[in-house]
Amino acid sequence: MRRRSRGLLVCVALAAWAAGLRADVPAAVQRPQLDALFGRAITEVRIEIEGRPDTDPALRALLEVRVGDLLRPETVRESMAHLFNLGRFDDVAVTAWPEGAGAVVLFALVPRHPIDRIEFRGTLGLDRRALERGVLEQVGGRASGARLDAAREAVTRLLTDEGYSRPVVTPSLEQTHEVHRSTLVLTIEAGSRQRIGRVSLIGTSALGPEAMTTGVGLVTGAPYRRRATEDALRRVAERLRALRYYEASASHFATGTGDEVDVTVTVDAGPLVDIVVTGDPLPPGGIDTWIPIRRENSADEDLLEDSAFRIRRALERDGYWRAEVEPRRVEQPDRGRMVVTFTIRRGLRYRLKDISISGESHFSAADVRALLGLNVGGPFQEDEVDARVGALVAAYVFAGFDASVDVVPEEVPAAPQATEGQVVVHLTIDEGPLRLVGDVVVIGADAIPEAAARRLIRSQPGQPLRDGQVREDRLAIQQAYLNRGFQSVVVDAHHDGLPRSTVRFTIREGAQTRVDHVLVVGNRRVATQTILDAVVLRPGQPLGQADRLESQQRLSEMAIFRRISITQAAEARHDGHVDVIVQVEEAPATTIGYGGGLELGRRLRSADGGGLEDRFEFAPRGFLELGRRNLFGGNRSVTVFSRLSLRPRDVPNDPAQDGRGFGVSEYRVTGSYREPRAWGSRTDVVLGATVERAIRTSFTFVRRAANAEALRRVNSYTSVFGRYALDSTRLINARISEEDQPLIDRLFPQIRLSTVSGGIVWDHRDDLLDPTAGGLLSADAELAARRIGSEVGFAKVFVQALGFRRITRINRVVLGGRVQIGVARGFARDVPIVDATGLPVRGPDGQPVTETVADLPAGRRFFTGGSTTVRGFQRDRLGVPAVLNADGLSNGGNGLIV
């Protein structure tokens, strides 16, 4: 239908061209003969949007009608198709008139005016926000998706649900043209609101009549709110089910069309249901888990049979091979009750005694047992046996056999008083003939050379013939063609099933589709060129599936779009070229994040009488993050993050004040600018500045820093980065005596560091936030040198590895492990000693006294213990004796192993 209407539009446009729609064109040339213009050289091409000239080069690039070319109908049609595919215009009209020996062509465009605002006027009856939510829920949360009829129906339904029986809703559109947008205006006359007249109750329940009427808001004279009443009665039914009236229901209906309605409430509590379990107990989990009558609001036969089946399967998995579960329900209408009885007979618990194997030839009996992996002596589970036999058959198929396995479990006679039984599983294997690949034939390969197609095939002569591998080979060939734009390719794979089979791959390539133009639709703030830079599809290149998926992934990684779709236009040119339409919906440019919490823990404080003592303390904290994306129309962003923590005050030398009262003890403010794919490369650039104050157990530091970082993704798993940082760190509130402090802390209580660093990250986790498989390996090295402005020099390397593996699928138990290794070394430097006035201290020979410093600065030393390293220890309280003093405070060290 769309193709047909577009063809009609082209015909109408060509007719308009012949008629001449411009008032400023002389009458003598208003109606030129159409044939007379064909073949003329085009002297000028104009574009007008709502009568205004437009010189947008992106629009002109879509036109096949170009100055200097000959005017042809097919180029006009293709130009109109490109403009329609852009999705920005409701109408495209083409007119032309002669100019000397040539022709002037005009494209008159009528732009679309998508809805970006919803406005309510008149007597609304309800809150504007409630009305807007109702309209947006109807259209998927986007104003741009609103339609006049749907919006009117949504508002009418909301008002009717709130008792306005005859609302009048009139939708209209108000357009703006400087920016082509529309406001959806809904003019409302809500009218009078219906009131409740007489309230009647049919039926009884254990809750009493008041709970069924006034308890749900049904009071004479109150507004009649249909939806709210339905919700309240639904809650009433839930309360009845909580009282074991598991089939309870409650509903209402209203009569009357004027300003007053009579409401009748119907309650059917149903029977009081008793669930009785006789015989043996249920599996762990309780009645609600295995017999969900309350949750399903039903006690019908189907639900009881399903419950019995699940109970029986659970018992069988626990080894009760002969378990029986019999459900039964007995209604007692005279007493208003129903008794649901589940009789459970577990029987003996069976164990797998042995596995009898016959018919094996290719695999030995020991190999078969290893492939089965059954636990002899463990609980017998028939389902597990069937699953492991399926794996054995798969192993035979992989080896080239068309095998089958017959499974017969045999119960071993047990003693009369035995509590457990035994089962022997008899396996009879029919291996079938060994099938090998005799030859591989590729038929129909043209666009892809036959040799290249053969390289995609893993089934090779002399290897076992595996049907699964042949299917994978067929899909690999098909995918290669799809990646080259052959969208209708068909690849068939056949073999004759003989002991040495010839595998034939027959290819019907079809036509190749190439990209004509890449059209971007839906962007408002993000520049079109920014989107096109992320799309790997290029005009003239094949429309390949892999390139389309890569483009989609790159756009998603930009994290500035809510929705992305890459489709192709419905119509293609005769030569197979087709427009590619990139439809985007931008996310909000401004983001706000905030949160708060409370930290509880123990901290060393100064004790009365000297020394230190542990105190239990709490610290409220919060953060605020502001972000702005799409800067300058590109995928650039700027973010400001702030964090604040209130802790008891730090006064290390005054036990009476230390830890008393609250103050701003920790804070962090970071601003960052990020430009992904800077300079058209795969490198992201980040510039940042930070001001922070943080507490460690033995000191507090205040730091100011600026950094520049470049991150490059090598592939989907591996990234490398480089960074330069300049920071100034000042130590305060030291809790370690001066004689116990490293020399560098005494000589450089405030230190400037200039560092360069780099590293690599390999991340193969299946989920970044909740991994169950895979792992992460990262390594980074940092270097500070006096030649680049650092007051001291050091080298530091840190390596971290994490691994995750799922142990069980049913309970989702995941084993996780982490290893951290760090090592650092300071570069020796002679530092002159100064007195309290800042003058150099001189020795007996009159020369300045110096000290050699080779320690790491406090902010670069390693600390362990706490939630980020080893949780079994308090923060910074884990270490070798060389870095811990008598009070357990740490100076930090030059190495780390976790």
Side-chain angles (χ1 to χ4, degrees):
M1 178 66 75
R2 183 176 178 185
R3 182 177 300 174
R4 183 178 176 185
S5 62
R6 185 169 294 170
L8 290 174
L9 284 171
V10 172
C11 293
V12 171
L14 290 174
W17 172 13
L21 300 180
R22 285 178 56 88
D24 59 340
V25 178
V29 296
Q30 285 254 336
R31 295 181 178 275
Q33 291 293 325
L34 186 59
D35 293 343
L37 294 178
F38 290 145
R40 289 197 179 198
I42 302 171
T43 58
E44 185 180 1
V45 179
R46 301 180 187 177
I47 299 177
E48 290 184 358
I49 300 179
E50 292 186 330
R52 299 179 181 180
D54 187 272
T55 58
D56 184 359
L59 284 181
R60 291 190 171 272
L62 300 179
L63 301 181
E64 303 293 339
V65 176
R66 298 184 177 90
V67 174
D69 292 346
L70 299 181
L71 181 60
R72 299 192 305 271
E74 57 269 21
T75 59
V76 174
R77 286 193 297 269
E78 290 171 6
S79 299
M80 293 180 67
H82 296 329
L83 293 170
F84 272 117
N85 291 336
L86 196 57
R88 290 172 47 191
F89 305 107
D90 284 329
D91 188 27
V92 177
V94 183
T95 60
W97 60 92
E99 184 177 71
V104 178
V105 182
L106 170 66
F107 288 84
L109 311 180
V110 178
R112 291 183 180 177
H113 293 76
I115 297 171
D116 66 345
R117 290 183 61 247
I118 301 176
E119 187 174 325
F120 300 92
R121 298 174 185 171
T123 306
L124 306 185
L126 296 177
D127 180 70
R128 294 177 187 272
R129 287 175 294 181
L131 293 172
E132 184 173 10
R133 281 197 303 269
V135 174
L136 293 178
E137 287 174 2
Q138 184 78 11
V139 297
R142 297 175 295 161
S144 59
R147 297 294 180 267
L148 272 64
D149 290 343
R152 178 178 59 217
E153 291 174 5
V155 172
T156 301
R157 185 165 52 253
L158 282 173
L159 293 170
T160 302
D161 288 345
E162 291 296 322
Y164 297 95
S165 61
R166 293 181 294 275
V168 178
V169 182
T170 305
S172 61
L173 290 176
E174 293 184 356
Q175 297 181 344
T176 57
H177 300 290
E178 290 298 330
V179 176
H180 300 297
R181 293 288 179 263
S182 295
T183 299
L184 172 59
V185 178
L186 294 165
T187 304
I188 302 172
E189 291 300 329
S192 59
R193 195 171 193 180
Q194 289 180 322
R195 301 279 171 176
I196 298 174
R198 187 173 66 252
V199 180
S200 304
L201 176 64
I202 299 175
T204 58
S205 75
L207 299 178
E210 291 294 326
M212 313 306 299
T213 55
T214 57
V216 299
L218 294 175
V219 180
T220 299
Y224 171 58
R225 303 174 63 205
R226 182 184 65 84
R227 179 66 62 84
T229 302
E230 289 177 352
D231 293 341
L233 289 175
R234 194 176 297 113
R235 291 191 293 270
V236 166
E238 288 294 333
R239 290 175 59 192
L240 288 171
R241 292 169 201 144
L243 297 175
R244 301 196 344 260
Y245 293 93
Y246 294 138
E247 295 186 336
S249 63
S251 60
H252 83 288
F253 65 90
T255 57
T257 58
D259 292 340
E260 185 175 277
V261 295
D262 297 332
V263 180
T264 301
V265 177
T266 302
V267 180
D268 183 6
L272 184 66
V273 180
D274 291 324
I275 302 176
V276 179
V277 178
T278 63
D280 295 321
L282 288 167
I287 287 179
D288 285 343
T289 299
W290 298 107
I291 312 173
I293 292 177
R294 175 181 176 184
R295 185 173 71 244
E296 299 295 335
N297 188 27
S298 173
D300 61 23
E301 295 290 348
D302 289 342
L303 185 138
L304 300 184
E305 289 293 338
D306 180 68
S307 298
F309 176 77
R310 293 190 301 111
I311 295 170
R312 186 166 53 252
R313 293 296 297 272
L315 293 173
E316 289 173 353
R317 285 194 296 268
D318 203 25
Y320 296 98
W321 180 35
R322 305 292 192 185
E324 297 179 359
V325 181
E326 180 184 352
R328 183 181 51 166
R329 73 178 207 167
V330 178
E331 298 188 28
Q332 302 172 345
D334 54 331
R335 300 177 58 190
R337 304 178 74 90
M338 176 193 296
V339 179
V340 175
T341 304
F342 277 75
T343 303
I344 300 175
R345 290 181 288 273
R346 294 190 174 193
L348 297 178
R349 188 178 189 186
Y350 290 86
R351 295 187 178 276
L352 179 62
K353 180 180 180 180
D354 197 6
I355 305 170
S356 171
I357 303 170
S358 63
E360 78 282 2
S361 175
H362 179 75
F363 294 119
S364 66
D367 291 336
V368 171
R369 290 177 180 274
L371 288 169
L372 290 171
L374 292 171
N375 180 21
V376 175
F380 171 68
Q381 303 176 33
E382 193 168 8
D383 288 347
E384 183 185 12
V385 172
D386 291 340
R388 300 310 304 167
V389 167
L392 175 62
V393 172
Y396 269 106
V397 171
F398 187 79
F401 294 89
D402 188 11
S404 63
V405 180
D406 186 32
V407 183
V408 178
E410 178 188 4
E411 181 178 355
V412 178
Q417 303 301 320
T419 59
E420 289 192 344
Q422 293 182 321
V423 176
V424 175
V425 175
H426 298 279
L427 301 183
T428 303
I429 301 173
D430 181 7
E431 294 184 343
L434 174 62
R435 302 181 304 168
L436 300 176
V437 178
D439 194 8
V440 176
V441 177
V442 178
I443 303 171
D446 185 18
I448 296 179
E450 182 178 337
R454 285 182 173 276
R455 284 195 293 270
L456 300 172
I457 299 172
R458 298 177 62 187
S459 298
Q460 297 297 322
Q463 292 183 351
L465 176 61
R466 307 181 184 105
D467 292 333
Q469 184 61 63
V470 171
R471 286 193 296 270
E472 291 181 10
D473 294 338
R474 182 185 68 81
L475 293 175
I477 297 173
Q478 181 172 301
Q479 189 62 54
Y481 272 93
L482 291 174
N483 292 341
R484 288 165 173 80
F486 291 89
Q487 299 180 354
S488 58
V489 64
V490 177
V491 182
D492 294 323
H494 302 282
H495 62 81
D496 47 27
L498 298 175
R500 291 190 71 87
S501 296
T502 298
V503 182
R504 293 179 174 83
F505 295 92
T506 304
I507 304 170
R508 294 189 293 276
E509 295 179 339
Q512 187 180 32
T513 304
R514 291 182 176 273
V515 179
D516 194 357
H517 290 82
V518 180
L519 310 178
V520 179
V521 181
N523 57 315
R524 297 174 57 186
R525 295 180 299 270
V526 183
T528 299
Q529 191 58 47
T530 299
I531 298 173
L532 291 176
D533 288 344
V535 175
V536 298
L537 296 167
R538 294 288 182 266
Q541 298 297 317
L543 179 53
Q545 190 178 81
D547 287 344
R548 182 185 297 191
L549 294 176
E550 174 70 13
S551 300
Q552 185 108 14
Q553 181 179 353
R554 288 191 177 192
L555 290 173
S556 299
E557 289 174 352
M558 294 170 71
I560 57 177
F561 301 113
R562 282 176 173 169
R563 295 177 180 86
I564 303 164
S565 67
I566 300 179
T567 58
Q568 64 186 65
E571 297 179 1
R573 286 182 2 194
H574 64 280
D575 57 357
H577 284 68
V578 67
D579 286 342
V580 174
I581 303 169
V582 181
Q583 177 83 38
V584 299
E585 181 182 341
E586 296 175 356
T590 302
T591 59
I592 301 177
Y594 55 88
L598 185 66
E599 180 183 354
L600 303 175
R602 302 180 68 85
R603 179 127 188 262
L604 283 175
R605 293 292 185 181
S606 300
D608 294 333
L612 299 171
E613 63 180 4
D614 267 325
R615 295 183 193 170
F616 190 78
E617 296 180 349
F618 69 93
R621 61 197 312 163
F623 76 89
L624 175 65
E625 184 177 30
L626 303 175
R628 181 73 180 180
R629 299 180 286 196
N630 305 335
L631 293 180
F632 318 120
N635 184 25
R636 308 174 185 90
S637 62
V638 61
T639 303
V640 177
F641 175 85
S642 60
R643 185 183 66 206
L644 179 67
S645 177
L646 301 178
R647 290 177 176 271
R649 288 197 300 265
D650 282 311
V651 189
N653 299 320
D654 188 350
Q657 298 294 324
D658 191 26
R660 267 69 173 182
F662 278 89
V664 178
S665 56
E666 288 187 302
Y667 60 81
R668 180 183 177 92
V669 180
T670 299
S672 63
Y673 168 82
R674 183 183 186 91
E675 181 163 358
R677 299 185 180 275
W679 309 295
S681 67
R682 295 175 62 88
T683 302
D684 297 350
V685 173
V686 180
L687 305 177
T690 301
V691 177
E692 68 174 330
R693 169 177 166 144
I695 295 177
R696 304 211 72 95
T697 54
S698 56
F699 60 86
T700 299
F701 68 87
V702 178
R703 186 170 72 97
R704 293 175 296 173
N707 65 277
E709 180 176 348
L711 173 68
R712 183 180 180 87
R713 176 168 293 182
V714 179
N715 53 47
S716 56
Y717 302 118
T718 309
S719 301
V720 295
F721 66 88
R723 181 189 303 115
Y724 171 77
L726 178 66
D727 69 69
S728 173
T729 302
R730 178 166 56 94
L731 301 184
I732 58 176
N733 296 336
R735 294 186 176 274
I736 294 181
S737 62
E738 186 171 337
E739 58 271 16
D740 290 336
Q741 294 178 20
L743 180 61
I744 190 172
D745 291 352
R746 286 179 270 145
L747 297 179
F748 292 98
Q750 178 163 327
I751 191 170
R752 182 184 69 250
L753 297 176
S754 176
T755 62
V756 291
S757 58
I760 185 170
V761 178
W762 179 84
D763 191 347
H764 206 279
R765 292 173 293 178
D766 60 343
D767 190 292
L768 297 182
L769 299 180
D770 187 18
T772 61
L776 178 143
L777 177 64
S778 67
D780 63 86
E782 184 180 17
L783 175 68
R786 296 173 61 190
R787 291 187 177 183
I788 58 174
S790 186
E791 290 186 299
V792 296
F794 63 87
K796 182 177 180 181
V797 177
F798 181 75
V799 179
Q800 178 175 234
L802 294 87
F804 303 91
R805 181 169 183 175
R806 187 194 294 267
I807 303 300
T808 65
R809 292 193 174 275
I810 296 177
N811 299 321
R812 199 176 176 278
V813 177
V814 178
L815 176 66
R818 178 183 63 180
V819 175
Q820 292 177 322
I821 300 175
V823 61
R825 179 181 179 182
F827 301 151
R829 176 190 174 184
D830 292 333
V831 180
I833 305 300
V834 297
D835 58 20
T837 63
L839 296 176
V841 176
R842 298 185 180 275
D845 57 357
Q847 298 298 317
V849 178
T850 63
E851 291 275 5
T852 300
V853 176
D855 298 318
L856 290 176
R860 294 297 193 273
R861 294 198 287 265
F862 294 107
F863 294 85
T864 52
S867 61
T868 60
T869 52
V870 182
R871 293 179 181 271
F873 292 81
Q874 289 180 240
R875 186 180 185 185
D876 300 349
R877 301 290 292 277
L878 174 60
V880 297
V883 300
L884 298 175
N885 69 0
D887 294 315
L889 296 179
S890 175
N891 277 316
N894 285 32
L896 168 74
I897 298 178
V898 175

